[in-house]
Amino acid sequence: MVDPTSPPPAMADASGAGGDPRLELLELAWDLSAHLSWLRELGVGELPCSPPAIRPPSKASPIPTRAPAPSKSAVVAAPRAPTITAAEPTPLLASDLSQLLEEAKACARCSLSKSRVGVALGNGVARAELMFVGERPAVSGDGAVQLFDDEVAALLDKMIRAMGFEPAQVACANVIQCASRDEPPFETPAACRALVWTQIALIEPKVIVALGKVAAQALLQVSTPITRLRGEWQDCAGIRLMPTFHPAYLLKHPDAKRQAWNDLREVARALKR
């Protein structure tokens, strides 16, 4: 039995050209065990074991426009909303993320700016094929501004790793940039739209994952519930967008983790992970 908490022996210690096959097998088993541990924490209790159909490789396989039909054992979901095409907004003229941060700090497009304690624009990743967009920054007990609170950030990191990425490889942002202890007024996501779309234009992701109702509705400009949006590919100004549940929701409703994992698995497949 491989202990996932203990790293495998270093491959450099193996003798002979090409290394000891037993150590290579042990390392593969350890990697698999660690990956399954992440999946268990996401609430995934089983994985499909039927092999995928063999098909010729394609250099330009398109991202699927709809998720594959669920297996018979999957939970029956509510009827889905039709695919939505969001119009492309007009971004600001910022040439990089640092310039955009200064614009966000001076923003007064809505009343949330009056109670703003800080701004969290993103996680600093300037170019990425995958981008997660959440709701708004968090304010810790000591007044520090964070992109997500500690629990949400920890779960999101596990979700990202389960998809085959490292957190430093993906971009993260929120549709609302101002951190405040007050609840954002209704108009705030629309007021922040130019800011978040300038981030998207600068980062140039291939796929966006919208975390939760506020992010999905703001990016797609719809009022459709997240329970109907999630799991279906959407066209967001020419970028593929997958809505799913926010990690904060998953922390309160662990039974929804399986549905969120199904959504993320579709994204991982689209990006060939």
Side-chain angles (χ1 to χ4, degrees):
M1 179 69 69
V2 178
D3 180 3
T5 63
S6 302
M11 292 302 296
D13 293 339
S15 59
D20 188 336
R22 292 172 298 178
L23 293 182
E24 293 180 10
L25 182 61
L26 181 59
E27 185 176 26
L28 288 173
W30 183 84
D31 288 341
L32 177 60
S33 177
H35 185 69
L36 292 176
S37 296
W38 287 327
L39 294 183
R40 278 197 300 271
E41 293 199 44
L42 289 176
V44 179
E46 59 183 20
L47 295 173
C49 59
S50 56
I54 299 175
R55 57 183 179 184
S58 173
K59 292 184 178 179
S61 299
I63 293 176
T65 57
R66 294 185 63 83
S71 64
K72 293 181 181 179
S73 60
V75 178
V76 177
R80 296 294 185 206
T83 300
I84 298 163
T85 301
E88 184 172 1
T90 302
L92 302 177
L93 297 178
S95 59
D96 56 41
L97 293 177
S98 60
Q99 182 181 346
L100 185 63
L101 178 61
E102 295 306 312
E103 294 195 30
K105 289 178 179 178
C107 178
R109 292 181 178 85
C110 78
S111 59
L112 192 65
S113 61
K114 298 177 182 178
S115 60
R116 176 171 59 211
V117 297
V119 171
L121 196 63
N123 65 343
V125 176
R127 286 287 189 275
E129 63 177 348
L130 177 59
M131 183 175 185
F132 287 82
V133 179
E135 181 181 348
R136 61 174 177 146
V139 181
S140 65
D142 61 0
V145 175
Q146 302 168 287
L147 192 62
F148 306 108
D149 69 36
D150 292 339
E151 282 189 289
V152 167
L155 179 55
L156 181 58
D157 283 352
K158 292 174 183 176
M159 293 162 67
I160 291 169
R161 289 191 173 101
M163 296 173 68
F165 291 88
E166 284 298 317
Q169 295 177 307
V170 306
C172 294
N174 287 304
V175 292
I176 298 172
Q177 284 73 40
C178 289
S180 171
R181 291 191 171 90
D182 295 345
E183 284 296 316
F186 176 79
E187 71 273 9
T188 297
C192 288
R193 185 168 165 79
L195 286 168
V196 71
W197 268 103
T198 304
Q199 284 183 264
I200 292 170
L202 291 171
I203 292 169
E204 298 181 329
K206 293 180 181 177
V207 173
I208 296 172
V209 176
L211 298 170
K213 177 187 73 172
V214 174
Q217 292 180 348
L219 292 174
L220 295 172
Q221 294 186 289
V222 298
S223 58
T224 309
I226 187 63
T227 51
R228 293 187 61 207
L229 286 173
R230 60 144 294 272
E232 295 288 331
W233 287 105
Q234 308 294 340
D235 185 333
C236 189
I239 302 173
R240 297 290 182 188
L241 182 144
M242 175 63 75
T244 192
F245 295 122
H246 196 286
Y249 177 86
L250 298 177
L251 289 169
K252 296 177 181 178
H253 303 87
D255 56 321
K257 286 183 178 180
R258 178 181 294 275
Q259 292 173 296
W261 168 242
N262 288 338
D263 302 341
L264 297 180
R265 186 167 55 182
E266 290 303 318
V267 174
R269 285 173 177 167
L271 294 172
K272 298 181 181 178
R273 289 284 167 161

